[in-house]
Amino acid sequence: MRRTTLGRLSLSAALASVVALLGLAQPASAAPVEPMSITVDKTSATPGSTVNITLKFTNDQATNAQFVYQSIQPTYATTSDPAVKYAFTTCTGDTSSCTVPTKQSGAAVFNAPVLPGASKTVTMSYQIAADSACGPSRRVEFYTYLYYEYQGGQLNKSGLFPVGGTDIACKPALAHSGR
């Protein structure tokens, strides 16, 4: 018995449908994990205030990250305004080394290994100088550089991430009593 062209096409269509359905039945993959999340505890601060920046590294690889380096530097806008004054005061967290050597920038080496999907956190604090300029367009902003090695040190990734800035608001003038 000979098959007709329509019969062959029907069989092919049925097989293609089964393959497509099997492909759709596979579990959906999760959204990719970002290796770095950054929070700043204040979007506005006055001279003399302390601001905390939390840097959270999450291993987005399928193998351990055995070396994770992070640095934080001021943006050009921050360094080009000589009247904006600040200094890093502390650097703490899940690190084997955490320094703020220049007081204008900092660096951390996270405790390793970092297991796949696990996170490590560092908090860097800086103080806006009491005599810092303040007002409109006066901000302290940073960017951070992240470098990490994984798969037995055979592979690495790196990237720059913006850090949310903090406006430097002037302290409100004290009201005088009219006595």
Side-chain angles (χ1 to χ4, degrees):
M1 184 165 133
R2 287 188 77 133
R3 288 194 180 217
T4 64
T5 303
L6 184 56
R8 282 187 288 226
L9 287 175
S10 296
L11 181 60
S12 297
L15 286 173
S17 295
V18 169
V19 169
L21 286 174
L22 289 175
L24 292 175
Q26 292 180 4
S29 61
V33 174
E34 286 295 320
M36 180 55 46
S37 64
I38 303 163
T39 56
V40 179
D41 71 342
K42 294 179 179 119
T43 57
S44 182
T46 57
S49 297
T50 298
V51 179
N52 299 304
I53 301 170
T54 302
L55 309 164
K56 181 179 176 185
F57 169 75
T58 301
N59 183 359
D60 62 346
Q61 302 301 314
T63 62
N64 292 350
Q66 56 272 12
F67 179 76
V68 183
Y69 170 82
Q70 176 120 36
S71 67
I72 188 166
Q73 297 88 22
T75 63
Y76 177 76
T78 297
T79 59
S80 65
D81 186 346
V84 169
K85 300 176 187 175
Y86 70 93
F88 276 101
T89 55
T90 61
C91 182
T92 60
D94 299 322
T95 69
S96 58
S97 169
C98 194
T99 62
V100 288
T102 68
K103 299 294 185 192
Q104 303 304 301
S105 62
V109 176
F110 288 84
N111 289 332
V114 182
L115 302 175
S119 299
K120 301 283 181 169
T121 304
V122 167
T123 299
M124 294 183 174
S125 301
Y126 68 91
Q127 185 171 25
I128 300 169
D131 63 342
S132 178
C134 59
S137 302
R138 297 290 166 96
R139 291 177 61 78
V140 178
E141 297 177 310
F142 300 96
Y143 67 93
T144 182
Y145 169 74
L146 172 68
Y147 170 87
Y148 58 105
E149 296 175 355
Y150 57 97
Q151 195 170 328
Q154 300 299 311
L155 299 174
N156 65 66
K157 286 178 85 175
S158 64
L160 294 175
F161 298 87
V163 175
T166 299
D167 292 323
I168 304 175
C170 295
K171 293 180 180 179
L174 297 175
H176 296 307
S177 62
R179 291 187 192 195

